Amino acid sequence: MNENRNNSGTAGGIGFCGLLTIAFIILKLTGVISWSWLWVLAPIWIPTAIVLAVLLVVLIVVLVKEGVKQTEERQRRELRSENIDEQARRYGLERQPGETDLELKKRIAFLKQAERRAGRR
């Protein structure tokens, strides 16, 4: 009545593939079957191959999604850069060689601010 068993509800043991492998090995060693060892040990390597194939597919999907995301981000940056160049042209500015978007934005902001100040006077 005073049983303190640690029963966590998880099953242990060898499993179906392990039992099947042992059965195939026994049948091979006793001469009942004449399969090659590749097929005798198939219950071990086939599930492993399936798991590896699924992992490979998942990896490919993740890499493709990441590539698409990077392409879209690059396109957004290029569009933003084109818009900045367009604003600069409105103020009579051109991008200097090696000038970053931020530097060009600062020059545009300086001209906008000067324009506002001139409008107030």
Side-chain angles (χ1 to χ4, degrees):
M1 193 188 228
N2 197 4
E3 292 182 33
N4 289 329
R5 288 188 182 169
N6 188 4
N7 191 1
S8 62
T10 59
I14 195 164
F16 176 73
C17 290
L19 286 175
L20 196 57
T21 302
I22 291 171
F24 286 170
I25 289 171
I26 291 171
L27 291 172
K28 171 78 172 170
L29 293 176
T30 57
V32 175
I33 57 174
S34 60
W35 302 346
S36 75
W37 281 103
L38 177 74
W39 295 113
V40 170
L41 299 175
I44 293 173
W45 64 263
I46 287 179
T48 304
I50 291 171
V51 168
L52 289 176
V54 168
L55 287 175
L56 182 64
V57 168
V58 168
L59 179 66
I60 289 170
V61 167
V62 167
L63 290 175
V64 167
K65 280 187 172 183
E66 189 62 32
V68 167
K69 187 190 305 182
Q70 287 179 355
T71 301
E72 289 172 349
E73 179 61 31
R74 189 175 342 104
Q75 289 172 345
R76 275 193 295 272
R77 262 186 276 137
E78 288 171 1
L79 182 61
R80 203 169 33 236
S81 184
E82 289 172 6
N83 290 340
I84 293 169
D85 288 335
E86 206 173 283
Q87 283 182 356
R89 278 191 291 277
R90 275 190 246 138
Y91 286 97
L93 297 174
E94 285 190 27
R95 186 183 293 267
Q96 301 300 315
E99 186 175 29
T100 65
D101 287 347
L102 183 62
E103 292 167 341
L104 186 57
K105 278 183 179 180
K106 286 180 182 177
R107 290 176 50 209
I108 293 169
F110 178 77
L111 286 177
K112 281 183 180 178
Q113 189 178 19
E115 199 176 69
R116 275 188 237 124
R117 273 192 238 135
R120 288 185 196 162
R121 293 181 184 182

